[in-house]
């Protein structure tokens, strides 16, 4: 089934319902479906055929989803790559998968000219303006029916950042995106007619398939930790927003603002660690809201979710003792196992009994692996599969690269990245130490790591003697041998919330 067909079905049921809103305007389900059908006709008239690839550089906007859905409607594959990652990154992406066409604004058309692989594309489409040699994007022609595709036909190709090696290309099929829609609609408690403030663009496709109104946040999505509080609050008022899913850094920004946080009825936060103190502060600020922490990844979203109402002195105490971060019960649509930590070593193919023998007992730490219809089965060309996939019989298990353990209540606890595991017999996963330290010092960001053979805690603040003594005393509980104080710690670019360990190690070397 073509994913775009769900939009057509929704438009038939409620054509006048608002589908999308951005800074430039709004569009109803009926009008969006019309534009998508017309856009698909234009793409076909330009000579693009089913299965061909269109590279899209378009800011998060109504027009972005218009071209995405029009391409799906026409049976094309959409390739997304982050232009801010640089020309070398874009060149590598095009070498991995050469697109047949390019779509973007006139600024994006200028960038295209700086990348050798992109300059040779025979077809360029310019959105919202004119550019020499590019065809204008039009959605005023007669529409065409959606192209029938199989569930395993590729729809969307995205690239990892490559921060830990060569970028991997994640290929999502129409069937995968439909399965993800079903899993998200259940885990995120979608309800007909809700209005969702969007800060995580991937959720819009699921929203459209579920009949929600998506209000694209009026802020710089590349800087989630610095939200435009006034502009977003105005959107909440104007569009009667009922729910929001965003990075923890986004909600931290609102909680720190004098204006406070809008009275969302539902809040979902993830993409980065959701610490207990954030859930406590969100619960205090929004006492009547349904608040959840969501755990997932590019390859498997969602994996588990943890209602703030389930947080208790028991879970907080486990975190303070070094138990890690409670991610809650895995969603029904995913199978999850904890296996012995073999990260860095390829596993499989395995027989069922060989795979079962890798499992650890409840309460023991190991690698988190998952399988399901919305779990990515492989990367483009198989590059990245060897280290992240386990073939067991006819099934594929994805190695998340995260360490964790399961408690007697069936809840998943996160211990951090397997690759960052430290030496020693006592607690050896840095993230668990960081979680415990944060419970004692919630205003100070810290990172634990092995450095020069010593367990080291890097503190992202210059502290006075008294505070240093308190941190030292608490850190000794986890075998920390050395403290290093910096003005701040580097964070990931996407969510502004996770420690960028490679960047931190570079800083410590300089």
């Amino acid at each position: 089934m073509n994913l775009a067909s769900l939009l057509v079905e929704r438009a038939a049921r409620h054509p006048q319902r608002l589908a999308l809103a951005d800074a430039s305007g709004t569009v109803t389900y009926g009008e969006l479906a019309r534009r998508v059908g017309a856009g698909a006709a234009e793409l076909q008239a330009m000579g693009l055929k089913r299965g061909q690839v269109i590279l899209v550089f378009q800011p998060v906007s109504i027009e972005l989803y218009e071209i995405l859905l029009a391409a799906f409607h026409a049976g094309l594959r959409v390739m997304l790559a982050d232009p801010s990652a640089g020309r070398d990154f874009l060149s590598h992406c095009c070498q991995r998968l050469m697109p047949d066409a390019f779509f973007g604004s006139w600024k994006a058309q200028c960038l295209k000219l700086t990348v050798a692989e992109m300059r040779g594309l025979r077809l360029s489409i310019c959105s919202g303006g004119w550019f020499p040699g590019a065809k204008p994007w039009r959605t005023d022609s007669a529409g065409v029916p959606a192209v029938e595709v199989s569930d395993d036909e590729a729809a969307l190709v995205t690239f990892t950042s490559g921060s830990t090696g060569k970028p991997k290309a994640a290929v999502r099929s129409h069937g995968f995106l439909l399965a993800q829609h079903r899993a998200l609609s259940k885990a995120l408690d979608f309800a007909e007619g809700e209005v969702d403030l969007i800060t995580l663009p991937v959720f819009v496709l699921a929203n459209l398939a579920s009949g929600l109104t998506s209000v694209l946040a009026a802020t710089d999505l590349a800087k989630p930790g610095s939200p435009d509080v006034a502009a977003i609050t105005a959107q909440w008022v104007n569009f009667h927003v009922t729910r929001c899913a965003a990075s923890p850094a986004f909600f931290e920004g609102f909680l720190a603002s004098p204006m406070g946080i809008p009275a969302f009825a539902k809040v979902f936060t993830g993409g980065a660690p959701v610490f207990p103190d954030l859930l406590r502060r969100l619960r205090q600020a929004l006492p009547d809201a349904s608040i959840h922490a969501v755990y997932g990844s590019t390859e498997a979203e969602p994996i588990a979710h943890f209602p703030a109402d389930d947080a208790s002195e028991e879970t907080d105490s486990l975190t303070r003792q070094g138990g890690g971060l409670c991610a809650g019960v895995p969603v029904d649509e995913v199978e999850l196992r904890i296996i012995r930590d073999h990260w860095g070593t390829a596993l499989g193919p395995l027989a069922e009994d060989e795979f079962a023998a890798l499992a650890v007992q409840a309460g023991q730490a190991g690698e988190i692996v998952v399988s399901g219809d919305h779990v990515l089965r492989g990367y483009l060309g198989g590059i990245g599969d060897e280290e992240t996939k386990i073939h067991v019989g006819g099934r594929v298990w994805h190695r998340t690269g995260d360490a964790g353990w399961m408690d007697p209540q069936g809840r998943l606890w996160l211990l951090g990245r397997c690759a960052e595991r430290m030496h020693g017999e006592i607690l050896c996963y840095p993230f668990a130490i960081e979680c415990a330290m944060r419970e004692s010092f919630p205003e100070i960001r810290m990172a634990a790591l092995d450095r020069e053979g010593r367990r080291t805690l890097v503190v992202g603040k210059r502290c006075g003697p008294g505070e240093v003594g308190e941190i030292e005393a608490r850190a000794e509980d986890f075998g920390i041998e050395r403290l290093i104080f910096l003005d701040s710690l580097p964070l990931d670019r996407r969510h502004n919330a996770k420690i960028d360990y490679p960047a931190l190690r570079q800083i410590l070397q300089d």
Side-chain angles (χ1 to χ4, degrees):
M1 179 180 181
N2 193 315
L3 179 70
S5 298
L6 293 180
L7 172 64
V8 176
E9 293 174 6
R10 281 286 169 185
R13 291 168 60 182
H14 39 70
Q16 298 307 314
R17 179 180 294 171
L18 196 62
L20 291 167
D22 66 9
S24 65
T26 62
V27 63
T28 63
Y29 271 88
E31 176 62 14
L32 181 61
R34 188 202 63 75
R35 291 187 199 176
V36 165
E42 285 292 315
L43 293 172
Q44 291 174 347
M46 292 176 190
L48 290 172
K49 295 179 172 54
R50 174 178 173 175
Q52 289 191 298
V53 179
I54 181 167
L55 173 58
V56 174
F57 284 0
Q58 181 71 24
V60 178
S61 60
I62 290 174
E63 208 158 26
L64 170 63
Y65 296 100
E66 197 176 275
I67 180 61
L68 282 179
L69 289 163
F72 296 159
H73 197 95
L76 304 177
R77 289 181 287 169
V78 174
M79 175 176 163
L80 299 178
D82 183 2
S84 68
R87 284 179 291 180
D88 289 344
F89 175 82
L90 297 176
S91 177
H92 176 84
C93 293
C94 290
Q95 290 169 21
R96 294 289 316 284
L97 180 64
M98 192 63 194
D100 300 288
F102 175 76
F103 179 99
S105 66
W106 69 267
K107 288 184 178 180
Q109 302 289 338
C110 292
L111 174 63
K112 166 181 169 283
L113 298 177
T114 70
V115 180
E117 289 79 3
M118 295 170 63
R119 284 199 298 270
L121 294 178
R122 66 170 183 82
L123 176 60
S124 286
I125 306 165
C126 187
S127 65
W130 175 87
F131 194 83
K135 293 182 179 294
W137 175 238
R138 297 177 56 187
T139 57
D140 56 358
S141 59
V144 293
V147 172
E148 283 300 317
V149 297
S150 62
D151 281 355
D152 60 359
E153 193 157 334
L156 183 63
V157 182
T158 61
F159 289 83
T160 63
S161 65
S163 60
T164 57
K166 289 185 177 181
K168 296 188 288 290
V171 183
R172 298 170 177 85
S173 67
H174 284 266
F176 176 97
L177 290 172
L178 288 166
Q180 186 177 62
H181 149 62
R182 290 190 291 268
L184 284 172
S185 63
K186 182 177 178 182
L188 301 188
D189 191 26
F190 285 172
E192 184 84 15
E194 287 187 303
V195 182
D196 193 5
L197 180 74
I198 292 294
T199 68
L200 303 172
V202 69
F203 289 167
V204 172
L205 295 177
N207 279 4
L208 290 172
S210 299
L212 275 65
T213 295
S214 297
V215 177
L216 308 181
T219 190
D220 184 353
L221 297 181
K223 299 178 180 178
S226 304
D228 188 331
V229 174
I232 291 172
T233 300
Q235 287 182 305
W236 170 70
V237 172
N238 293 338
F239 293 104
H240 308 288
V241 173
T242 60
R243 57 183 295 139
C244 178
S247 160
F250 177 87
F251 292 115
E252 291 279 10
F254 268 95
L255 291 172
S257 166
M259 291 184 67
I261 187 169
F264 301 117
K266 296 178 182 177
V267 165
F268 297 87
T269 182
V274 183
F275 295 106
D277 66 280
L278 175 59
L279 289 180
R280 290 192 292 266
R281 284 180 286 128
L282 283 172
R283 167 56 64 232
Q284 183 176 7
L286 300 171
D288 298 323
S290 173
I291 301 170
H292 293 251
V294 182
Y295 169 58
S297 68
T298 298
E299 296 83 358
E301 179 73 68
I303 294 175
H305 64 101
F306 182 55
D309 287 345
D310 287 358
S312 63
E313 176 54 32
E314 176 233 355
T315 55
D316 293 349
S317 176
L318 276 172
T319 295
R320 287 193 293 271
Q321 294 169 39
L325 199 61
C326 188
V329 176
V331 299
D332 293 338
E333 293 77 10
V334 76
E335 284 196 61
L336 184 147
R337 301 283 187 276
I338 307 294
I339 64 172
R340 291 194 299 278
D341 191 344
H342 289 85
W343 189 252
T345 301
L347 294 174
L350 299 174
E352 293 284 355
D353 57 341
E354 293 175 315
F355 180 64
L358 293 177
V360 302
Q361 296 180 354
Q364 291 184 326
E367 280 188 54
I368 301 170
V369 298
V370 291
S371 182
D373 289 341
H374 73 289
V375 177
L376 198 70
R377 293 175 58 86
Y379 299 102
L380 181 68
I383 297 176
D385 288 359
E386 184 177 8
E387 60 265 33
T388 62
K389 307 298 177 186
I390 308 174
H391 291 262
V392 182
R395 301 182 62 189
V396 178
W397 289 79
H398 173 66
R399 303 171 72 179
T400 64
D402 290 333
W405 63 280
M406 299 294 294
D407 69 15
Q409 289 75 41
R411 298 174 301 194
L412 174 66
W413 289 76
L414 304 177
L415 297 172
R417 300 298 290 170
C418 295
E420 296 297 332
R421 182 173 178 169
M422 300 189 298
H423 73 281
E425 294 301 320
I426 63 172
L427 188 63
C428 55
Y429 289 103
F431 179 68
I433 296 174
E434 294 161 9
C435 291
M437 295 298 294
R438 180 171 172 120
E439 280 292 277
S440 298
F441 305 95
E443 303 299 324
I444 306 175
R445 196 180 296 273
M446 304 184 194
L449 46 78
D450 267 334
R451 176 168 165 75
E452 298 173 348
R454 301 170 68 188
R455 283 188 168 216
T456 302
L457 185 70
V458 185
V459 182
K461 177 185 173 183
R462 305 288 182 179
C463 300
E467 205 167 28
V468 168
E470 292 176 4
I471 293 173
E472 284 179 335
R474 183 74 177 103
E476 285 179 2
D477 295 340
F478 304 108
I480 296 296
E481 302 164 272
R482 181 187 182 190
L483 297 181
I484 296 176
F485 293 85
L486 300 176
D487 291 327
S488 62
L489 300 183
L491 303 176
D492 69 295
R493 183 177 61 191
R494 183 180 179 193
H495 293 294
N496 302 160
K498 294 184 283 192
I499 303 295
D500 186 337
Y501 285 99
L504 177 58
R505 285 195 167 90
Q506 186 61 53
I507 291 171
L508 295 177
Q509 286 178 357
D510 293 343

